[in-house]
Amino acid sequence: MNQPAPDARALHTDVAVIGSGLGAVAAALAVARAGRGVVLAARHHRLGGQATTQLVPALDEHPHVETGGVSASYRAFRDLVRARYGGLANPGGGWVSRLCFEPAAAEHAIDALLAPHIASGRLTILRGVTPRSVRREGRHLTSVRLRADGAAAPDTELFAEVFCDATEAGDLLPLAGAPWTVGSEGRDAHGESLALPGGPRPDAVQSCTVGFVVEHLPEAAPCLPVGAPPEGYERWRDSQPFTLEIAGWDDRPHRYRMFEEGPDGHPPFWTYRRLRDGAVLGGPDAALINWAGNDYADRSSVDHPEEAYTEAKRLSAAFLHWLRTECPRDDGGHGHPELTLAPHIAGTPDGYAEEPYLRESRRLRTATPVRQQDLEPVPGRARAANRPDSGGLAMYHMDLHSRIGHPASAYAPTAPFQVPLSSLVAAEPDNLLAAAKNLGATQVAASAYRVHHGEWAVGEAAGALAARSCARALPPARIVGDRRELTLLQGRLAADGVPLAWTLDVPPGDPRFAAVQLLAAAGALTGRRAAELDIRPEDPADAADRHALHTAAARLLGDPTTPVLPDTAPADTATRWGDLAVTLADRVQHALGRSARTADGAHA
C-alpha cells in the first residue's frame, strides 16, 4: 500500500497536515518542533486562513491574551505581526480586538515562524492542493491523494504515519470514513440551552461571511463611481436587513454611527474592525467589513461550499452598495461614496476575501463531545470544569450566529477552558486527528473554539500528539488513554510553552511553568487557587494544598493511591506552593524514566 497510484507522485513523511489555516500552521509547527517530518498540504497559496484568505485579521481573543492563556508560539505570531509595524500595539486601532492589522503582516509572521523548519528539511509545504481521496488498510489511514490547482500538474499521493485534518470544513473526515456531525445536535441530545429544540438539525449550519476591505478616501469621493446595485440588492437590503443597528449579546439593540460615537455610547462602526489607522501609519484608513449585514445564512457553506461563496460574495457587494448609497450619514445625509474596495490590502484581485470565513465545520463525532455545560462558569471557581487530558487553552463566549433556517443568534458566557486531547482523536481511522474547528464538540461548544487563538490551540495540540504518536509508535488514542504516556506528552507541551491550565501569574519562561502546568491540569488547584486565575506560587502551601498537589502528582503516574513524595511536613510548615509543585513534578518525571528536560522520546 506504500506504492502510489500510477498517475500520481509519492511523498512520504511522518505527519501529514491537511489545511492552510491557523490550525494547520500551528499543527505543522508543533510536529517540526518535536523533530518529526511533516508535510503541510495547503489548499491556498497564502497560509493563515482567518488572518489572511478569510479576511479576519482583527483577532477574536480573550481579555487575558496580553498576559496569559495562549501558547508561546501563538504569542510569537502576535509579536511578529506587531514587529511589522515597529512594535505598534494595535496598527489598525480597531476596537473589536487588541490586535488589528493588514493580512500581509500575518503572512510575513507565519513565513517567519515556518522558515527555520523548512530550512532544516523537517517541513515541506505543498500549496494549491486539495484532498480528493484516501487509501486505508483496515482502521488505518495510509495515504491522501492531493489534486493540484493546475490541470497539467500531477496528483500527489501523500503517505504518513499520522494525519491531521486542519481543513476549514473538516473535509478529510468524510473522505477518511471518520464519524462526523454538522449543524445542531438538538437540545434533546445533551440538554444544551443554546441548541435548537428537539432532535438533530444537520442542515442548521451557522452563517458564513465573505469579508471585504475598504479604504476611506473622502477627497476622491467625486471621482469614485458607485455603479448600479448588484443582483438581489433590494431583497438582501430588506431581509438582512442592512443597518448599523444590531442585536447585542445583552438582548438589547446596539446602535452605531459611521464615524462618531453612537446614540447609545457605542464606538464608531468604522473603527470596529479597522485594519489600518491612517493617522498613525500614514495614508488612508482601511477597514474590514464583517458585520451582521453581510452574514450569509441562505445556504450551508459546508454542504454547498461553491454556491455559498458565490452568493455570500454577492451579499457583501450589496452591503457595500448600501454603505455607499443609503447608509445614514452622521451629518444627516445618506451614503458614503468615499468608501472604495482595497484589493492591495485584501491581497485579492477585487478586495473581497479569497474564501468565506466559516464559523462552523464538520466536527469529529466522539462518545463524549465537549458540551455547553463543560464550558460554562462553575460557581466558586475561576475556570470551567477541569480536563485532565488538556493539550492547550482557549477562552471565548459561545457565540452562535444565525443558522440556516433559524435566523436568531445565540450567546452564553464561558469560563476559561481547555482543549481536551480526547476531543481530537478519531475512533476510526485510528491515526486521524482533528486539528482545527473540527474537534469533537457540539455545535454550541465548538462556537467558542472557532476563533483565532482557539483554532491555533487545537492545531498545536493535535500536532504535538501526532509527533508523539510517531515517536512512540503508538496510535494517538493509546497516548491519550494511557496516563503515563499522556503525562509525558503533556510534559513536552509544557516544556514548549503550551499552557495546560489557567495560571496567569506563572507564564511561559518562568522556571516553574512546566511543573505548575502539569500539576494544575491534573487537579492540584484547590481553595483560593481554584477561585482565582492567579495561583500565587510564592505563597505557602497549607495542608489542603499539599494533599491536592500530592494527589495530582500520583494521578500523573496513573496511580492516585501511591504517594510520589512522603508528606511529613506539619500543617503550619511554610513550604511555598510553587516549590512543592516543582519538586513533585521532578519526581513524576524521574519515575517515568525521563527528566523534565527530556520528556519526549525524540529528545531523550
Side-chain angles (χ1 to χ4, degrees):
M1 289 289 288
N2 284 334
Q3 294 299 315
D7 56 344
R9 71 182 184 108
L11 191 58
H12 296 262
T13 189
D14 294 328
V15 179
V17 176
I18 314 297
S20 52
L22 293 176
V25 171
L29 279 171
V31 175
R33 188 173 63 212
R36 311 303 302 191
V38 55
V39 171
L40 174 56
R43 176 181 179 184
H44 296 284
H45 291 270
R46 289 191 295 170
L47 302 178
Q50 295 187 55
T52 56
T53 53
Q54 295 176 33
L55 273 189
V56 194
L59 303 180
D60 292 312
E61 297 172 327
H62 56 74
H64 308 290
V65 69
E66 299 295 348
T67 55
V70 295
S71 70
S73 65
Y74 184 78
R75 189 165 303 286
F77 166 70
R78 297 175 91 250
D79 290 345
L80 286 165
V81 166
R82 284 174 168 159
R84 288 283 297 178
Y85 297 92
L88 192 63
N90 190 353
W95 53 265
V96 74
S97 172
R98 292 163 181 79
L99 183 52
C100 303
F101 51 90
E102 296 153 293
E107 291 183 63
H108 286 286
I110 289 168
D111 288 346
L113 288 171
L114 297 177
H117 302 295
I118 295 173
S120 73
R122 288 188 295 270
L123 171 62
T124 299
I125 302 177
L126 305 179
R127 300 176 192 259
V129 294
T130 306
R132 294 299 184 188
S133 62
V134 306
R135 284 205 276 177
R136 285 178 53 168
E137 286 185 347
R139 298 179 63 244
H140 200 71
L141 183 61
T142 58
S143 69
V144 173
R145 183 168 178 139
L146 303 165
R147 180 71 46 81
D149 283 343
D155 285 3
T156 298
E157 190 161 4
L158 179 56
F159 295 86
E161 295 301 315
V162 183
F163 295 81
C164 294
D165 182 355
T167 60
E168 296 304 319
D171 295 335
L172 199 56
L173 299 182
L175 284 177
W180 59 274
T181 187
V182 74
S184 177
E185 289 82 359
R187 199 169 298 166
D188 293 349
H190 304 287
E192 298 172 303
S193 65
L194 297 191
L196 294 175
R201 293 296 305 271
D203 56 322
V205 174
Q206 285 189 78
S207 64
C208 68
T209 303
V210 174
F212 56 95
V213 179
V214 289
E215 287 183 308
H216 184 226
L217 303 172
E219 296 82 6
C223 304
L224 298 173
V226 172
E231 178 186 346
Y233 173 72
E234 290 81 5
R235 174 176 67 86
W236 270 321
R237 178 195 61 195
D238 300 336
S239 63
Q240 286 293 103
F242 291 162
T243 176
L244 297 189
E245 179 178 304
I246 61 173
W249 57 268
D250 53 2
D251 295 325
R252 293 162 38 183
H254 290 193
R255 297 179 295 168
Y256 296 86
R257 294 192 178 107
M258 179 61 75
F259 298 110
E260 298 177 357
E261 185 178 276
D264 306 320
H266 296 296
F269 169 84
W270 177 250
T271 55
Y272 172 55
R273 290 186 185 269
R274 188 173 59 186
L275 307 181
R276 179 181 179 81
D277 184 352
V280 175
L281 299 174
D285 270 14
L288 162 67
I289 308 301
N290 181 323
W291 188 254
N294 60 326
D295 264 8
Y296 174 80
D298 290 355
R299 194 188 296 259
S300 167
S301 55
V302 174
D303 298 325
H304 308 283
E306 294 181 5
E307 297 91 338
Y309 174 72
T310 299
E311 293 179 14
K313 189 173 179 179
R314 286 199 193 107
L315 168 59
S316 286
F319 188 51
L320 173 59
H321 186 81
W322 179 82
L323 289 171
R324 302 187 73 197
T325 59
E326 297 190 56
C327 175
R329 293 181 62 91
D330 301 341
D331 60 11
H334 289 84
H336 291 275
E338 71 274 16
L339 299 181
T340 183
L341 287 164
H344 58 289
I345 295 178
T348 59
D350 55 11
Y352 292 92
E354 186 175 345
E355 61 175 338
Y357 170 48
L358 300 189
R359 295 182 177 86
E360 184 169 335
S361 165
R362 297 177 185 89
R363 301 180 300 280
L364 195 63
R365 182 183 291 130
T366 62
T368 56
V370 183
R371 309 162 303 152
Q372 175 180 340
Q373 299 92 324
D374 300 321
L375 306 184
E376 290 177 328
V378 178
R381 290 181 173 265
R383 304 162 185 83
N386 185 55
R387 302 300 296 251
D389 65 335
S390 173
L393 302 183
M395 181 186 177
Y396 199 71
H397 42 268
M398 289 176 274
D399 180 18
L400 290 151
H401 285 231
S402 53
R403 290 168 270 195
I404 309 300
H406 302 270
S409 58
Y411 172 91
T414 64
F417 54 87
Q418 298 153 298
V419 177
L421 288 161
S422 56
S423 69
L424 314 182
V425 180
E428 187 175 333
D430 62 4
N431 59 335
L432 176 64
L433 297 172
K437 292 187 285 284
N438 55 351
L439 77 163
T442 65
Q443 182 187 55
V444 174
S447 72
Y449 284 97
R450 66 175 168 83
V451 294
H452 303 76
H453 70 279
E455 184 180 340
W456 188 286
V458 171
E460 188 164 34
L465 175 54
R468 185 73 189 173
S469 174
C470 292
R472 299 288 289 157
L474 294 171
R478 171 72 184 279
I479 300 286
V480 177
D482 184 313
R483 182 61 254 190
R484 295 167 72 89
E485 292 289 346
L486 175 60
T487 297
L488 289 170
L489 169 60
Q490 290 178 317
R492 185 68 259 158
L493 280 163
D496 287 332
V498 178
L500 309 172
W502 282 84
T503 58
L504 292 182
D505 55 345
V506 186
D510 187 307
R512 299 163 297 191
F513 176 79
V516 167
Q517 292 304 311
L518 279 173
L519 273 298
L525 303 181
T526 188
R528 177 181 50 74
R529 291 184 173 87
E532 301 174 4
L533 293 181
D534 286 340
I535 62 167
R536 304 181 190 179
E538 300 292 338
D539 287 1
D542 61 20
D545 291 325
R546 290 200 301 271
H547 176 74
L549 282 164
H550 278 265
T551 301
R555 191 176 291 127
L556 289 171
L557 287 174
D559 184 1
T561 63
T562 301
V564 176
L565 190 70
D567 187 12
T568 57
D572 59 351
T573 300
T575 302
R576 291 187 296 187
W577 193 96
D579 293 343
L580 182 54
V582 169
T583 299
L584 288 168
D586 282 347
R587 289 297 181 97
V588 166
Q589 295 289 357
H590 283 294
L592 293 175
R594 304 285 193 275
S595 72
R597 292 180 296 277
T598 59
D600 192 334
H603 295 264

